[in-house]
Amino acid sequence: MAPTHDHPGEHAAADPIRLLAIRDAPLSVDEVFRAVGDDAAGGIALFVGTVRNHDAGQDVGALGYSCHPSAEDELRRVAEKVAVNFPVRALAAVHRVGELEVGDLAVVVAVACPHRAEAFEACRKLIDDLKHEVPIWKHQRFSDGTEEWVGAC
């Protein structure tokens, strides 16, 4: 059955952005999930990015993230764009900076929408745009002593 859009819960919330942050402390999936709780949401999509032990065929020994001072403003711009283009009831995104270890959470994003398909699409757009447009850089140090910087934008 196609949605009729005759209930206020079928539309985007007036202010769906609930949590945006760039932090140098460990991230919490529970905090992000709680931030997007909304009684009108039928679907919540959550993405968790973790530090893996390899990249491009090399063993990662250490990793750090840094960001430009404008990063939180750019994160807000990305979030606002997603909220305009999807019926977002609630949205949250946090990214870690500083030194991280393999297995640490690097980024957690979540989007709540009236329906699951919208939630999946909006969450995918949010994480993809965050990684491409927010000035956060990854410094990888490999076990063989080499290193590289990876720019998010």
Side-chain angles (χ1 to χ4, degrees):
M1 173 185 271
T4 62
H5 301 289
D6 58 355
H7 186 278
E10 292 291 325
H11 304 284
D15 185 12
I17 299 173
R18 307 275 176 84
L19 171 65
L20 295 176
I22 297 175
R23 298 181 176 158
D24 61 1
L27 306 181
S28 165
V29 172
D30 290 338
E31 176 193 24
V32 173
F33 183 72
R34 281 191 307 271
V36 297
D38 188 289
D39 289 344
I44 295 174
L46 182 100
F47 173 81
V48 179
T50 58
V51 176
R52 63 181 178 268
N53 66 359
H54 67 281
D55 190 34
Q58 293 184 281
D59 292 333
V60 173
L63 181 145
Y65 283 97
S66 59
C67 68
H68 188 272
S70 69
E72 281 196 4
D73 291 338
E74 290 302 308
L75 179 57
R76 177 161 294 281
R77 185 187 58 76
V78 164
E80 288 172 346
K81 185 170 59 171
V82 170
V84 164
N85 290 317
F86 296 90
V88 175
R89 299 296 307 169
L91 177 151
V94 292
H95 201 295
R96 178 101 183 261
V97 292
E99 295 302 311
L100 284 76
E101 297 181 13
V102 170
D104 283 348
L105 305 183
V107 61
V108 183
V109 302
V111 178
C113 291
H115 304 280
R116 72 177 175 274
E118 300 159 341
F120 279 125
E121 290 176 42
C123 189
R124 176 70 181 252
K125 183 70 171 158
L126 177 60
I127 189 60
D128 286 352
D129 288 359
L130 184 161
K131 296 307 279 183
H132 289 105
E133 298 178 25
V134 179
I136 298 172
W137 305 284
K138 178 169 55 173
H139 183 211
Q140 297 186 118
R141 293 174 294 287
F142 301 106
S143 58
D144 67 2
T146 61
E147 58 185 51
E148 76 173 346
W149 282 92
V150 180
C153 56

